[in-house]
Each structure stands twice: as C-alpha cells, then as structure tokens.
Amino acid sequence: MLFDDQPSHDDTYDDFYAGLPVYSVLSEKSLVESPPPDPGAVAWKLQASEWSEELPDDIMEVLGWFFDHADTAKVKAIVIGEWEENAETSSEQIVKLLAGNADRLPELRSVFLGAISPEQSEISWIQQSDVTPLLTAFPRLERLEVRGGSELRFPPVRHESLRVLRFETGGLPAAVVRGVGESDLPALEHLELWFGIDDYGGDSTLDDVSGILSGARLPALRYLGLQNCPYADELAGAVAAAPVVARLETLSLSMGSLGDDGAAALLSGQPLTHLRRLDLRHHYIGESMAARLTAALPGVEVLLGEPADPEDHWQYVAVSE
C-alpha cells in the first residue's frame, strides 16, 4: 500500500516525501550551514516566496542554485513548492528546466509539482501546464504527483516505469482524464484523480472515465482513486461493472457526493469482497445504507467516517476552490 491514509491538499511535504526526509532549500546558505548527509537520502524541496525573507521570490533562481550547488547525480526525489507566477516564471518553465536537465538527474524517481498550501494559493488558483515532458525526459520516473488543475494538460503517453500518478485538483480538465485513460502505463499501481467541479475547470463526465475503467492499459493497477467527484453516484454505477475493479486492492470514491444511490449500485454490481479497502469518506450515504455496505463486505476495511447530511440538497465535494 503506497498511501496508508488520504493525502491532504494542504500538505506541503515539509517533513517526508516518497519515504524520504525532506531537505528544504531555504537560501543559498543552506548547503553550507546544514548540508544533507547524502543528496540521495533526502527529498529536495525547492520553493520560492515573495513573503519569506529566507527565500528568493522566483523559483527559477532556486532551481538555478540547486543545479549549481547540489550533487544532482544522486538526487532521487524533488518537491516543487511555491513559485511566484509572473510573465517569466510558470509551471511550464519549471517542467522545461527539469526535463532539459534530465541528464544531470539520472537517479530521479519521484516528483511532486505544486506542493503549495491554501495559505499560499488556493488549489484551483495554481496554474499548471503539460506535465508529460517529465515522463518523456525521465523514463525511470516512478512517481509523479501534481497539485492544481488550472491549465493542466496530460496528453496520452507511454511510460514503462511509472508506479504512482496523482492529480490533486479542485477542477480536473476532462482532457486530462481522457489522456490518462488513453495512456499506456504498464507498471502503474496507484492512480488517483481528484475531479472537482465545473466552476474550477472540472468539466469531465462519465464518458471521459471509460478508458480508466476498462483497465486495458493499466494491467498492474492496485489502487484506484476516483475522488472528489460531483457525479459520484453515476460514477459508482459505472465502477460496479468496470473490468478494472477485479484486480484492485483499494478502491476510493472518497471526497465526493456519493449517496444512497451510488452505494446501492456498488452493492448490486460485481463482488467487492476481494478488496482490502473501500474508501468512501466524505459521503452522503444514509445510516441504514452504510450499515448494509459494511455488513455486505465483512472482510473489507470500509472507510466511511462521519457522513455529511444526506438530506442536504447541496451535496458538495470536499475540495473545490
């Protein structure tokens, strides 16, 4: 299991990432004053801020320092935190710089792009770009995680090594959902999509998820998170008959608008007794239906948590703006 609990959209990975302690580059003095014991034994957090006296206000300056001073040949994990959006600096520039220096990062296996807290920028204000150049440039990359869906792009790609792909958004573009479903990812074990709402760019429909639900291009998938979804009942109906479900260990429909209709669809569809975990936290399921779910899956860890009000006519997702 790659994630024991639900990652949070306000986690900025200041302590650990990808199983490694995080080393934050706070200024050009960092490497001199408290150098990491081994550049490959930490996850490097690179960020900028106009509010901190310890940080440059442009991420490109931080990245330049990193390539000039760190032994990048040993680096295994990079967390990109806050950057100052302006005419010269953007997600596209960051992706281009990392991809363009792939030969200097031969051991890189994990990247988180956009580890930015709500205090720094609301999740739906984070401007992203096409992130697939990272996969093209790093054929041995095993983990790619992205926070923020605005302008995010993910055209279909083939990658032999990727094991974890996660998109944390308050609005995931339909084209990204289709791009994932049309990608050949034979090693992918963990796929997590936070759909979000149309107001913030989450314009997908059930048809856009069909490539993922078929599982044809995802033979190694064990964790499927179709989360933060405003059409969770409809999605649950499709999941109930989806070929990909038979090979899963964990299915998550958490953070969305799942109610009694979606829960009933799960119970009436293919057996889910093979699952290790069914995560439905943040839901609109009534007490009796929740009891039916738990009783029908005695060997499965069914995570329900505290329900939202099933009588609430405004059934919201957990993360939007």
Side-chain angles (χ1 to χ4, degrees), residues 35 38 47 70 80 88 91 162 201 256 262 311:
D38 177 352
Q47 60 185 328
I80 302 293
E88 302 299 327
S91 167
L162 196 67
E311 301 300 322

Side-chain angles (χ1 to χ4, degrees), residues 171-216:
L172 188 64
V176 173
V177 180
R178 292 194 301 272
V180 172
E182 294 168 7
S183 292
D184 290 302
L185 303 170
L188 196 71
E189 300 172 10
H190 183 118
L191 175 61
E192 188 173 326
L193 308 179
W194 296 14
F195 290 89
I197 62 175
D198 186 61
D199 287 349
Y200 297 106
D203 58 350
S204 70
T205 66
L206 189 60
D207 287 344
D208 298 310
V209 192
S210 60
I212 295 170
L213 296 181
S214 78

Side-chain angles (χ1 to χ4, degrees), residues 25-265:
V25 175
L26 297 179
S27 72
E28 292 194 5
K29 297 184 293 183
S30 295
L31 197 59
V32 175
E33 294 182 350
S34 58
D38 177 352
V42 297
W44 289 72
K45 184 169 183 182
L46 309 173
Q47 60 185 328
S49 173
E50 64 178 323
W51 309 111
S52 172
E53 294 182 357
E54 295 184 301
L55 289 168
D57 60 8
D58 192 326
I59 189 67
M60 302 306 282
E61 182 179 339
V62 179
L63 286 164
W65 175 90
F66 169 70
F67 282 110
D68 287 344
H69 293 83
D71 185 358
T72 59
K74 297 180 180 179
V75 171
K76 295 178 181 177
I78 291 176
V79 177
I80 302 293
E82 185 180 8
W83 63 83
E84 182 65 15
E85 288 281 352
N86 56 49
E88 302 299 327
T89 304
S90 65
S91 167
E92 184 175 11
Q93 292 295 103
I94 296 167
V95 169
K96 183 177 179 180
L97 181 62
L98 290 175
N101 284 278
D103 60 331
R104 301 177 64 183
L105 293 162
E107 296 300 316
L108 187 64
R109 299 292 181 271
S110 302
V111 174
F112 194 112
L113 183 60
I116 301 170
S117 72
E119 289 74 24
Q120 296 164 332
S121 176
E122 296 289 353
I123 191 169
S124 294
W125 301 354
I126 301 172
Q127 299 289 315
Q128 290 290 358
S129 60
D130 183 356
V131 297
T132 56
L134 292 172
L135 296 178
T136 302
F138 296 100
R140 299 173 69 189
L141 198 70
E142 297 178 355
R143 184 170 181 150
L144 177 61
E145 298 169 80
V146 179
R147 179 173 295 163
S150 182
E151 303 299 325
L152 179 65
R153 299 188 298 282
F154 194 90
V157 66
R158 180 174 179 86
H159 196 279
E160 301 288 345
S161 303
L162 196 67
R163 296 175 59 233
V164 177
L165 179 62
R166 299 182 60 250
F167 293 111
E168 299 181 4
T169 83
L172 188 64
V176 173
V177 180
R178 292 194 301 272
V180 172
E182 294 168 7
S183 292
D184 290 302
L185 303 170
L188 196 71
E189 300 172 10
H190 183 118
L191 175 61
E192 188 173 326
L193 308 179
W194 296 14
F195 290 89
I197 62 175
D198 186 61
D199 287 349
Y200 297 106
D203 58 350
S204 70
T205 66
L206 189 60
D207 287 344
D208 298 310
V209 192
S210 60
I212 295 170
L213 296 181
S214 78
R217 296 180 170 90
L218 303 168
L221 199 66
R222 298 295 177 266
Y223 180 112
L224 177 60
L226 302 174
Q227 300 167 215
N228 206 43
C229 184
Y231 52 91
D233 280 347
E234 186 182 9
L235 182 58
V239 165
V244 72
V245 172
R247 71 177 70 119
L248 298 179
E249 296 176 0
T250 297
L251 171 64
S252 178
L253 300 174
S254 66
M255 304 168 63
S257 62
L258 190 72
D260 281 358
D261 289 346

